[in-house]
Structures are given as structure tokens and as C-alpha cells.
Amino acid sequence: FRKSFMTDFDVIITGSGPAGTTLASYLSKMNLKTLIFDKSVFPRDKVCGESISPGALNVLNEIGIKNEFESINVEKVLGVSFTTPDQSCATLYYPDKNYGYAISRRQLDKLLLDNARKQNGITSIEGFTLKNINIEKDKVIISGEKERQIKTFTGKILVGADGRYSTTAKLLNLYKQGIETGRHVYVATLENARELKNTLELEILNKKYQYIFSKQYGELASIGVVINDPKFNKRDMNKEEFIKLIHKSDSLRPRFDNVKFETQLKGICLQNYSLKSLVDNRVIFIGDTTGYIDPITGEGMYRAFKSAKYASETIFEAFAKDDFSKNSLMPYQQKLYNEFVSIYNFIKIAVLFTTNESISNFVIKNISSAEKLGEKIAALQGALAPGKDLFSGDTSKLLFSLFRSQLSQYVFGR
């Protein structure tokens, strides 16, 4: 191996996914010299992130990329549809005619990375494997390998945006080993899917299998199969088995009876994962690296974009004060907690909802009669309302009214 010269930057970002590239675009507006790198070579496929909520689009509008979606083949997503084990169905549309987009990760990553590369002060490297990190008093030093050459770079602050198995976090001893939950998801984009809606669709077959899918473009559909089974052996999963799992659903079988794989089959274990801290001296973590990963609603991009925005604000303040200590960066962590803790309380409820057939049948069968409650859930899923809204006194009254109405029908036959 040959060692290259040292190059100085203001900010170094590990990971060129949605969070990292969005942050780079924000930082370019602040005239900060930024290095962003990734171990992958683009375009690349990822296991999830095939849709963007209306709330996420609002963030992208701030970096001047929202209109770019009109020039590529993507479909608008108008809301979310649910199907329960007894085949009860309900569709909740985003309020005020808001919409998101269904888009493959290959398209989205390229769009965001191309946008970042166009900005002033940004250097992008692909196929770079991070090997070492040193946090010193006045700088961060990182080194890695590209094409059998060791490269070393310095910066004032390091941003970990390299996903849930973050090498950055592991090298800094900030990674917490995830706890196995017995919950897995497998995702692929399939050709020749039929009768696709302009909504994100969630079908609950039973407590063991759920499906999350969306129309991508034409007859392309991205579909994820969620498996709740502690005895599941990932070595048994292949393309043939994946199709068999989809065909377990009577409603999905005719819609996916003659499909072909447009992408590779990808899967992960949905284990509980977190970091010891989202900030440290001269270090910030964003995107999936923070541990805010949502396998229920399909909404993950909003967290990537919003954490990038919050990080840019904190980084700008750190440069203004010339203070990159953990204490100085802590407001970023607090912002994320305030934004997403309520969302994850909702996710705990959503997991219960998707793995309990009686609850899912009851809620979806009656949600159409609770219009205001449905609007709240749609706004939450679309990242158009804060998570705490679902736990407000107003929402509690709506839930109580729904259950009282159904109890009355049960007792008095009304």
C-alpha cells in the first residue's frame, strides 16, 4: 500500500446515502469545505427506502431538489392503504392534497449525490473503505483505502452517516450491539405487478407475515415481506421462497402471479439498535446511524433528511463559536429526541397492531368512521405532523369515542 498526502476539510461525512448527501448540500450553502465518501460505488441498491413522504419532500425543497422529481419516472404517493387478516380495507389520504413519491434507492441516491456534487466546496469519493479515526484536540484525522492506496484526510468535525451498522460508530466505540427481535424484512422490486394503487400499501396477513409495498413506475412494485418468527432461518430465504411468501396472501397472489425480479433480493434483521450517544467531541451521527429506523410505516427518508438539517444547524453554530466539544453539539441530540421519541412510541403501538389480528381487524374495520383520527394517522405517517400529536388529549378523545361507539353497537346491536 502507498500512503497519500493529507488534505484538509471543514467537515468529513462518512456515507453518501440520503442523510449524508442532504447534509453536504446544506453545508455548501454555508461555504464549508466538505468531504463526503462511501465504501460503495454508485448506483447501488439498498434494503429499504423506496418511498418519500410529503414531509420529507418539504425538507428536500430547502436544498433545491424537490422539482427534480418531475423530470424522472416516479409515481406520486397519495396516502397509505391498510388490509387486515379478515380482508377489511381502509385508505387514509394525506391531508390538504399533499403527496410523496415512490422512488427506487438507485434513483434517489443518484439524484441526491449528483445534486451534492454540483455544489461548491464538496469533494465526493466512492469506493473508499474507512479504516481508522483519530479525534485530536484541534482536528479529526481519518484514513482509509481506495484502490489499494491508503488516503488520509483531516477535518474540524466528523459526521457518521454510514447506516445502522456504522463503521464510524464502531471505530469510535459508540456502537451498541443490537438485540435480536426475531423480526426480519426482505425487499425487492418486481416487474409485471398488477392493480397497483397510488398509495403505500400495508397488508397484515397474520401475526407472522406482513407486506409493505408501493407502485414504483408502470408495473414495477417495491415489496417488503416482514417476518415475525424467532425460528426463522435467513439461510432458507431465496427468490423462490420470497415469491411463495407473497403468494400466501389471497389478495396479493393474483397481483404478483407472473412477476420477475427487477432488483436483487435484499434483507435485514430488524433488531433493536442504538448508539451510546448521537454526539461526541467533534462527532455527530445522522440518518439510520442514529438508530431511528422504522419498519412499519415505510417512512425512513424523513428522518434522514431532517437529521441532516438539524446537524447542519448545529455544525454551523459550532463553527461560529469555534467549539466542537460534545457539550457544544448536544443541542442536536436533544432536537432529535424531541422530534422522534413520540414517533417511536407510535411504532411500538404499530408493531402491536400489525402482530395482533384482533386489534388490526377492529381498528381498520372502523377507522373509516373516525375521519379525524384517520387524518391524524395519515398526517403522522406522511411526516406532516409531529409524533406527539398522536398522544395528545384531542387524539385520546377521538380514540375513546371510537371504542365507545363500537362497544355500544356490540352491546345494544346498533
Side-chain angles (χ1 to χ4, degrees), residues 289-309:
T289 308
T290 64
Y292 292 114
I293 301 168
D294 181 355
I296 299 298
T297 65
E299 172 46 48
M301 292 299 106
Y302 175 77
R303 293 171 180 77
F305 303 145
K306 200 60 181 285
S307 64
K309 178 181 178 178

Side-chain angles (χ1 to χ4, degrees), residues 108-276:
L108 179 61
D109 285 350
K110 183 179 187 304
L111 197 65
L112 292 166
L113 187 55
D114 286 349
N115 180 71
R117 284 169 168 162
K118 291 187 296 187
Q119 311 302 321
N120 292 327
I122 295 178
T123 298
S124 171
I125 304 177
E126 298 179 30
F128 181 87
T129 302
L130 182 63
K131 296 291 187 180
N132 191 53
I133 302 172
N134 287 319
I135 308 296
E136 299 191 354
K137 183 178 180 180
D138 60 343
K139 61 181 175 290
V140 176
I141 305 174
I142 67 110
S143 62
E145 177 191 340
K146 178 177 172 62
E147 298 174 348
R148 296 185 61 81
Q149 183 179 16
I150 298 298
K151 294 180 178 291
T152 301
F153 304 100
T154 67
K156 291 288 186 180
I157 188 169
L158 177 68
V159 180
D162 47 348
R164 59 182 285 158
Y165 301 113
S166 171
T167 298
T168 307
K170 290 175 181 177
L171 289 173
L172 293 172
N173 194 31
L174 292 172
Y175 182 86
K176 278 188 178 179
Q177 183 61 43
I179 300 173
E180 292 281 345
T181 62
R183 190 172 171 85
H184 296 75
V185 62
Y186 285 84
V187 180
T189 298
L190 304 175
E191 300 177 9
N192 302 328
R194 296 186 293 189
E195 300 177 33
L196 297 170
K197 303 176 183 179
N198 285 104
T199 57
L200 180 69
E201 298 187 61
L202 170 62
E203 176 168 339
I204 303 163
L205 180 65
N206 49 45
K207 65 180 182 180
K208 192 172 180 179
Y209 301 113
Q210 294 95 45
Y211 310 96
I212 303 172
F213 56 103
S214 62
K215 181 178 182 179
Q216 291 297 296
Y217 183 74
E219 293 186 336
L220 286 177
S222 170
I223 181 164
V225 178
V226 179
I227 304 168
N228 297 294
D229 184 0
K231 297 180 181 179
F232 171 75
N233 188 338
K234 62 183 180 181
R235 288 176 293 187
D236 295 334
M237 179 58 70
N238 52 43
K239 290 183 177 181
E240 182 179 351
E241 183 63 24
F242 183 72
I243 297 299
K244 285 182 180 179
L245 291 179
I246 294 174
H247 287 175
K248 284 181 177 289
S249 164
D250 291 337
S251 64
L252 293 186
R253 191 181 306 114
R255 301 169 69 183
F256 292 84
D257 65 345
N258 190 33
V259 291
K260 298 179 182 177
F261 282 81
E262 200 269 338
T263 65
Q264 294 298 311
L265 178 63
K266 306 171 290 292
I268 56 172
C269 173
L270 297 172
Q271 61 187 23
N272 293 324
Y273 150 77
S274 63
L275 299 181
K276 296 175 183 177

Side-chain angles (χ1 to χ4, degrees), residues 5-184:
F5 57 87
M6 187 177 290
T7 304
D8 291 315
F9 292 89
D10 294 314
V11 183
I12 298 176
I13 303 172
T14 68
S16 300
T21 49
T22 299
L23 175 59
S25 294
Y26 271 118
L27 296 177
S28 71
K29 300 178 185 301
M30 303 173 184
N31 297 317
L32 294 175
K33 188 178 180 183
T34 302
L35 169 67
I36 180 169
F37 65 84
D38 201 289
K39 65 180 180 181
S40 298
V41 176
F42 292 78
R44 54 96 188 264
D45 267 330
K46 294 285 285 186
V47 73
C48 58
E50 304 292 338
S51 64
I52 302 175
S53 69
L57 277 181
N58 291 337
V59 178
L60 290 182
N61 194 40
E62 296 181 2
I63 60 171
I65 203 172
K66 183 177 179 180
N67 293 335
E68 298 291 329
F69 291 95
E70 302 295 337
S71 63
I72 58 178
N73 292 332
V74 293
E75 296 281 350
K76 289 184 177 179
V77 178
L78 307 181
V80 57
S81 299
F82 298 96
T83 302
T84 60
D86 68 357
Q87 295 299 291
S88 297
C89 301
T91 296
L92 305 177
Y93 291 102
Y94 298 132
D96 302 322
K97 297 183 178 180
N98 278 284
Y99 59 86
Y101 283 111
I103 180 172
S104 72
R105 278 298 298 269
R106 287 175 297 174
Q107 286 180 298
L108 179 61
D109 285 350
K110 183 179 187 304
L111 197 65
L112 292 166
L113 187 55
D114 286 349
N115 180 71
R117 284 169 168 162
K118 291 187 296 187
Q119 311 302 321
N120 292 327
I122 295 178
T123 298
S124 171
I125 304 177
E126 298 179 30
F128 181 87
T129 302
L130 182 63
K131 296 291 187 180
N132 191 53
I133 302 172
N134 287 319
I135 308 296
E136 299 191 354
K137 183 178 180 180
D138 60 343
K139 61 181 175 290
V140 176
I141 305 174
I142 67 110
S143 62
E145 177 191 340
K146 178 177 172 62
E147 298 174 348
R148 296 185 61 81
Q149 183 179 16
I150 298 298
K151 294 180 178 291
T152 301
F153 304 100
T154 67
K156 291 288 186 180
I157 188 169
L158 177 68
V159 180
D162 47 348
R164 59 182 285 158
Y165 301 113
S166 171
T167 298
T168 307
K170 290 175 181 177
L171 289 173
L172 293 172
N173 194 31
L174 292 172
Y175 182 86
K176 278 188 178 179
Q177 183 61 43
I179 300 173
E180 292 281 345
T181 62
R183 190 172 171 85
H184 296 75

Side-chain angles (χ1 to χ4, degrees), residues 331-343:
Y332 163 77
Q333 178 167 292
Q334 192 59 51
K335 284 181 180 179
L336 257 64
Y337 284 170
N338 292 342
E339 174 94 15
F340 296 133
V341 164
S342 295
I343 292 287

